[in-house]
Amino acid sequence: MKTLLTILAVGSLAAHIAEDSSGLLQHPKFQSSNFENILSWDSGLESIPGTVYSVDYKKYGETQWLAKEGCQEITRKSCNLTMETGDLNEFYYARVTAISAEGLPSTKVTERFNPLRHTTIKPPDVTCIPKMRSIQMIVHPSLTPVHTGDGHQLTLEEIFHDLFYSLELQINDTYQMVNVSPGSRAPIRLCSPPWVRPPHAASPPPDRTWT
Amino acid sequence: QEFQFGPCRVEGVALPRLLEAFRTVKETMQIQDNITSVRLLQREVLQDVSDAESCYLVHDLLKFYLSTVFKNYSHKIAEFKMLPSFSTLANNFLFIVSKLQLSMSRLNDSAHRRFLLFKSTFKQLEMETALSKAFGEVDILLTWMGKFYRL
C-alpha cells in the first residue's frame, strides 16, 4: 500500500512541476538596441518575496539549454544575454525559471529572437563644433558588441551597409531635414534598412517613414 | 528592387513587404510551435549556399511552401484571421517561383540535397506540427532570401 501512495504522490508532484504555476513569472522577452540584447521579465501576480530566477538560453533547433552564468538564482528581473546571442543571423530562445520560497517552479520561454530583425538603432553620438560662419557636426560611428571571427568590433555602418543619418536643423521656428551617408560631409538623417525596427531618435524627424 | 539568385533574377517583389506581412502573424504562428529543439531550415540547409545553388534551392523551398505548407495550413490561417498576410506571402512566393521557372535549365545536386534535408526533417514530424513549424520559420526563409536582395 505504501508503494501505491508513493506513486500517487510522485505522480501528482510530477504533474505539479510540469504544470506551469504562472503566478510567479510573466512576459519574458528580449529587448535589443544596437545589438545589446537584454532579457527581462515581470514577476507574476502571485509572486512572493524570496522568489529567485534562473536563466537558460539556446539557439533555435538545438536540444540543450545552456545556463547563463551570472543569472542563476537571482532576484533581479533582467539578464544581459548580449554575448550569448551575438550571431546576427541566428535565432535564439531564452527561458526563465522562477522558484518561490516554497520551492515551486514556474518556467516561461521567450519568443524566438533574431538580433538582426529585432534590434532597434539608437541615435549616434555627435560632436558639434561651431565655427565663424558654419557648424561642423561629427557623427561618431556607433560601435556594437558584435565582433567578427578575427575579433574586429563591428560598427552599425559595417552591419547595415545602406545606413544613413538624418540631421534636423532648427533655425528659429523653421526645421530643415537633410540626409547624408556616413563618411560624407553633408548633414545627416538616420534611416535603416526596411527590416530593422524604427529607432529611438533624440529629436525624431517630423516625417518618420522608412523605405 | 530585385532578387539575384545566382543566374536567376526576379524583379518586382518588395522584400520589406513580405517581412512586414510575416511580422504581423509571427507571434501567433510561433506560439503554435513549442518544439524549440527542431528546426526545419537548419544551418546545413541555408548556410554558405553558393550563387549557383541559390536559384534551385529557393525554387524548391518556395514550391514546397506553396504546394504543401500553405495549401494544407489554410484552415488554420482562416481560424487565426491571418488571410491578408497569408495572401501577400503566398502570392509573392507564387510570382517568384514563376519567374525562377523560366530561367532554370537543369538540376543542381547540392541544392537538391539541402532541400531533401529540409523535407526529411519536415516529414519526421506529425503533419500539423510540421505545418505550424514551417509557417513559423518563414522569417528564417525571408532572412536568408534577403542575402540575395538588392535595393
Side-chain angles (χ1 to χ4, degrees):
Chain A
M1 185 57 182
K2 192 165 171 257
T3 311
L4 178 62
L5 286 177
T6 310
I7 293 170
L8 281 177
V10 168
S12 68
L13 180 65
H16 200 84
I17 286 177
E19 184 193 313
D20 178 17
S21 47
S22 55
L24 289 175
L25 161 72
Q26 47 185 4
H27 315 138
K29 58 181 179 297
F30 278 98
Q31 290 165 308
S32 176
S33 59
N34 285 17
F35 298 107
E36 185 88 16
N37 308 325
I38 309 297
L39 173 68
S40 66
W41 57 90
D42 300 323
S43 50
L45 306 178
E46 300 157 23
S47 187
I48 43 175
T51 300
V52 292
Y53 307 95
S54 294
V55 172
D56 301 308
Y57 65 95
K58 70 173 181 176
K59 289 178 181 174
Y60 172 45
E62 290 184 359
T63 313
Q64 197 69 33
W65 287 92
L66 304 171
K68 161 62 181 169
E69 217 177 301
C71 293
Q72 299 302 307
E73 300 192 0
I74 56 176
T75 53
R76 67 177 188 275
K77 291 191 268 296
S78 70
C79 175
N80 189 324
L81 286 173
T82 298
M83 300 317 292
E84 289 76 16
T85 54
D87 183 340
L88 302 188
N89 292 302
E90 195 50 82
F91 292 76
Y92 297 94
Y93 279 98
R95 171 175 81 175
V96 183
T97 301
I99 301 175
S100 69
E102 295 94 29
L104 288 179
S106 166
T107 298
K108 285 267 170 56
V109 179
T110 64
E111 264 187 44
R112 196 176 302 164
F113 170 71
N114 169 242
L116 195 62
R117 181 82 54 247
H118 291 114
T119 204
T120 55
I121 298 177
K122 290 192 279 193
D125 292 333
V126 175
T127 304
C128 175
I129 306 171
K131 301 198 173 177
M132 285 305 292
R133 295 188 50 75
S134 66
I135 305 174
Q136 183 180 9
M137 307 283 281
I138 301 173
V139 178
H140 302 281
S142 304
L143 280 172
T144 72
V146 182
H147 290 76
T148 56
D150 56 8
H152 168 63
Q153 186 172 5
L154 292 175
T155 64
L156 280 179
E157 293 76 12
E158 288 168 321
I159 296 172
F160 299 118
H161 302 302
D162 48 4
L163 180 71
F164 61 92
Y165 294 102
S166 162
L167 170 67
E168 184 181 279
L169 297 177
Q170 180 185 355
I171 304 163
N172 299 331
D173 293 333
T174 60
Y175 283 87
Q176 189 186 347
M177 177 81 71
V178 198
N179 309 344
V180 69
S181 313
S184 65
R185 299 188 65 79
I188 54 175
R189 175 173 184 272
L190 174 64
C191 249
S192 55
W195 50 75
V196 173
R197 293 170 62 190
H200 319 291
S203 53
D207 171 20
R208 294 196 61 166
T209 51
W210 308 107
T211 51
Chain B
Q1 295 170 341
E2 64 176 27
F3 283 107
Q4 188 73 53
F5 297 107
C8 308
R9 188 156 155 256
V10 179
E11 290 179 304
V13 177
L15 178 59
R17 201 163 149 252
L18 306 190
L19 288 162
E20 180 55 22
F22 183 77
R23 196 185 61 75
T24 59
V25 300
K26 170 185 183 301
E27 191 173 347
T28 307
M29 284 320 309
Q30 291 180 352
I31 277 177
Q32 310 304 314
D33 172 17
N34 49 28
I35 305 178
T36 60
S37 55
V38 174
R39 173 172 163 171
L40 303 177
L41 291 167
Q42 48 195 290
R43 235 166 276 116
E44 293 76 8
V45 175
L46 295 182
Q47 199 161 31
D48 304 331
V49 173
S50 67
D51 275 351
E53 292 175 281
S54 60
C55 184
Y56 299 91
L57 182 56
V58 73
H59 176 269
D60 287 350
L61 287 172
L62 295 187
K63 234 179 123 178
F64 183 86
Y65 265 84
L66 289 165
S67 61
T68 304
V69 179
F70 291 170
K71 181 183 163 203
N72 293 300
Y73 207 60
S74 48
H75 62 287
K76 278 276 191 183
I77 303 294
E79 176 190 327
F80 292 136
K81 300 183 175 52
M82 297 190 299
L83 278 174
S85 294
F86 173 72
S87 305
T88 299
L89 291 167
N91 291 333
N92 277 275
F93 280 17
L94 199 58
F95 176 77
I96 294 171
V97 167
S98 67
K99 294 298 178 187
L100 292 175
Q101 209 120 7
L102 304 180
S103 49
M104 285 176 64
S105 54
R106 43 173 186 66
L107 195 63
N108 180 295
D109 290 339
S110 54
H112 196 53
R113 274 195 303 275
R114 290 175 184 272
F115 172 67
L116 290 181
L117 175 58
F118 162 82
K119 197 173 168 184
S120 69
T121 311
F122 182 93
K123 298 282 183 188
Q124 287 163 32
L125 297 171
E126 182 266 329
M127 186 54 153
E128 196 77 7
T129 302
L131 289 171
S132 61
K133 181 171 278 295
F135 201 106
E137 290 191 6
V138 164
D139 56 351
I140 297 177
L141 179 58
L142 294 175
T143 299
W144 173 71
M145 289 169 67
K147 293 178 182 176
F148 303 89
Y149 189 68
R150 312 283 176 264
L151 285 174

